Amino acid sequence: MISKLKYEYLLFLIALVWVLFFSSVIQLQAGFSSWGDDSTYLYAAKVLYFNGVLDDSRPMFISAVIGLPFLFGFSTAFVIQWGIIVNFICWLATVLLVFKIIAERWNRQKAFVFAIAFILCIGNLAVAFHLIAEALFVFLLVLIFYLMHKFIQTGSYSFLTLAIAFSFLILLVKPMPLGLVILLLLYHSKKAKKVFTNKYAVVILVSVSMLFFHMYSLKKKYGDFTISYIGSYTYYNYLGARADCLKDGIAYIPGENPRTKHFISLSSHEMKTLATWDLKNQLLNNKVNLLKAYATNLYLNSSKGNSIVYATENQDKTMCFSLFHVLFKAISKLQNIVFTMVGLALAFYCLVKRKQQDVFRLMLSGFIIYVFLISGISSNEGDRFHLAFYPALLILMADFYKNRILKTVS
């Protein structure tokens, strides 16, 4: 029998060996990528620390975390290294949180197996090698799940208070879960008094203050009281542009159509205004093509592998590169397809049979469906959107498997 602490140590050792093996066989180097979104996160960190200005697309908290070494006079090269270290810490912490949640809801042996399954999720590991927000974002998501699990398990409002606080904070990493945060607040609105009268209430006040300060700063500099302008940019250049191309009968090439070239010449406020007008116009006059574009985006984001793995090259001319490159591309693609299909199936089943499910399972199910549906606003992302629900699905699968076993025994 493995002792309590040894599972965590073993997971750490397995994770370390896997990272070293994974990176070496496909020559995936941790660091700055010139072709991805790395430059936008680095730029946001620079303008925050050197100019005291918030970026219009990358929120304050992720910029502050990545650029923290700038505060102490370190170089850009050190900041990039720091950002990658933060990513790997977040990835490993997510592994341990997945293990902890399943262990407390079932047992440590089964939790160990599901934690290994998360370690082997190609996309979740690959994004940690680049200076982007996904690793921190997924960690905060799973941390919120853990806190909600503890609230349901113990009834302690301290856990709910912290979950709400981190829900506000995560919007300053990526604004994508805004709809879920609103639903969380509405669902627990009757508990407001107990939430704000425990010792952790100050954490909510800090996170809310940060969020409103961020939105006020964007209003003052760019013209809109918003978390980020990234949603406007993403809709207009991906979903909206694809629908427009379908209407005109021309090929959709991301970033290459005339409307995109015009769009990037506008101010942030003008972009948001135009994107809002375009969405209303297409809903009124081009709704069929908008739906086709949306369905196409959903399909593409559910059927492709990880772009970071795809982009690796055999610079060292090793014999094993081609084998593992093809293998890991195929696995990341297969994981995206299978996780999406299984995730949607389990989530919809859980919601249909909601009277037989606990609140935690319903929360995970709603999250999986939400991420899937909102991914349709973008396109050609590979597995990048869906990575967010991989750990949620593993936790949900563990719960369903546990219940099936209990029913069989009884």
Side-chain angles (χ1 to χ4, degrees):
M1 176 63 70
I2 301 176
S3 66
K4 284 188 175 182
L5 283 179
K6 285 185 179 178
Y7 275 117
E8 285 82 353
Y9 293 149
L10 190 55
L11 281 172
F12 178 82
L13 179 62
I14 292 171
L16 179 61
V17 171
W18 171 240
V19 168
L20 294 174
F21 173 78
F22 176 76
S23 61
S24 64
V25 295
I26 62 170
Q27 299 172 39
L28 178 56
Q29 300 297 317
F32 185 82
S33 169
S34 59
W35 59 266
D37 286 338
D38 302 45
S39 60
T40 64
Y41 285 104
L42 183 60
Y43 173 78
K46 284 183 175 180
V47 296
L48 175 63
Y49 282 97
F50 290 116
N51 303 329
V53 173
L54 293 175
D55 184 63
D56 61 349
S57 62
R58 304 306 178 190
M60 180 173 65
F61 186 67
I62 184 63
S63 302
V65 171
I66 289 175
L68 184 62
F70 283 137
L71 190 63
F72 304 99
F74 287 99
S75 66
T76 297
F78 185 87
V79 166
I80 293 171
Q81 293 174 354
W82 158 259
I84 301 301
I85 291 171
V86 169
N87 282 350
F88 280 108
I89 291 173
C90 288
W91 176 75
L92 180 60
T94 304
V95 172
L96 296 177
L97 279 174
V98 169
F99 170 78
K100 194 166 184 62
I101 292 171
I102 298 174
E104 292 185 4
R105 293 182 68 84
W106 195 357
N107 63 53
R108 290 174 63 83
Q109 291 86 354
K110 300 298 189 300
F112 179 77
V113 174
F114 280 95
I116 293 294
F118 179 72
I119 288 174
L120 297 176
C121 288
I122 300 294
N124 288 91
L125 174 57
V127 294
F129 284 80
H130 279 206
L131 193 68
I132 52 179
E134 272 66 20
L136 175 59
F137 180 69
V138 172
F139 163 69
L140 288 175
L141 282 171
V142 179
L143 177 60
I144 292 167
F145 295 152
Y146 175 71
L147 292 169
M148 289 303 300
H149 150 70
K150 294 300 290 185
F151 168 65
I152 294 167
Q153 182 187 60
T154 66
S156 170
Y157 280 87
S158 296
F159 291 114
L160 178 60
T161 301
L162 290 172
I164 292 173
F166 281 109
S167 296
F168 283 118
L169 188 63
I170 200 172
L171 298 177
L172 293 176
V173 175
K174 278 179 171 288
M176 184 260 282
L178 176 60
L180 292 175
V181 173
I182 293 172
L183 287 175
L184 178 68
L185 295 175
L186 291 174
Y187 184 81
H188 293 289
S189 58
K190 294 182 179 179
K191 305 180 180 76
K193 184 178 179 181
K194 292 183 179 180
V195 167
F196 284 102
T197 54
N198 71 75
K199 61 182 179 180
Y200 292 108
V202 66
V203 184
I204 288 186
L205 296 178
V206 170
S207 61
V208 170
S209 298
M210 289 174 63
L211 180 62
F212 274 85
F213 172 77
H214 175 84
M215 296 173 73
Y216 172 76
S217 297
L218 263 59
K219 167 69 175 175
K220 190 174 179 181
K221 180 170 177 58
Y222 302 106
D224 297 281
F225 192 71
T226 185
I227 300 172
S228 171
Y229 288 89
I230 194 68
S232 300
Y233 180 89
T234 303
Y235 159 75
Y236 194 84
N237 293 321
Y238 291 92
L239 178 57
R242 186 186 291 278
D244 203 45
C245 288
L246 287 172
K247 181 189 69 175
D248 296 336
I250 60 176
Y252 168 71
I253 304 174
E256 295 299 323
N257 49 73
R259 65 182 258 152
T260 298
K261 294 177 181 179
H262 165 68
F263 190 71
I264 61 176
S265 69
L266 303 176
S267 68
S268 300
H269 176 69
E270 289 170 335
M271 285 182 180
K272 186 175 181 64
T273 302
L274 179 56
T276 302
W277 175 87
D278 185 79
L279 177 58
K280 292 177 181 177
N281 180 58
Q282 297 220 45
L283 286 171
L284 288 173
N285 304 310
N286 194 32
K287 63 173 66 71
V288 173
N289 286 320
L290 189 64
L291 286 172
K292 287 181 180 178
Y294 180 69
T296 301
N297 287 353
L298 289 178
Y299 168 75
L300 291 173
N301 291 335
S302 303
S303 59
K304 305 298 180 182
N306 186 266
S307 59
I308 295 174
V309 174
Y310 274 60
T312 56
E313 297 177 351
N314 190 11
Q315 296 180 347
D316 297 335
K317 309 301 179 184
T318 59
M319 295 179 62
C320 66
F321 174 85
S322 295
L323 171 64
F324 285 106
H325 190 227
V326 171
L327 178 63
F328 288 154
K329 285 196 300 182
I331 291 174
S332 71
K333 181 176 181 177
L334 186 63
Q335 285 177 337
N336 192 12
I337 295 170
V338 172
F339 273 55
T340 301
M341 294 177 64
V342 173
L344 291 175
L346 280 181
F348 277 113
Y349 174 83
C350 192
L351 293 179
V352 169
K353 300 284 187 179
R354 57 187 175 276
K355 292 184 179 179
Q356 303 171 19
Q357 312 298 329
D358 66 17
V359 174
F360 188 69
R361 253 180 262 142
L362 291 173
M363 181 185 70
L364 294 176
S365 300
F367 172 74
I368 291 169
I369 294 171
Y370 176 88
V371 172
F372 171 76
L373 293 177
I374 207 167
S375 71
I377 193 176
S378 189
S379 181
N380 302 88
E381 294 285 356
D383 60 2
R384 189 173 175 182
F385 258 96
H386 293 185
L387 295 177
F389 67 63
Y390 282 16
L393 175 59
L394 289 170
I395 297 166
L396 187 61
M397 288 172 65
D399 247 35
F400 268 86
Y401 186 44
K402 176 193 71 175
N403 283 0
R404 180 174 288 274
I405 291 176
L406 291 176
K407 287 181 180 178
T408 302
V409 172
S410 61

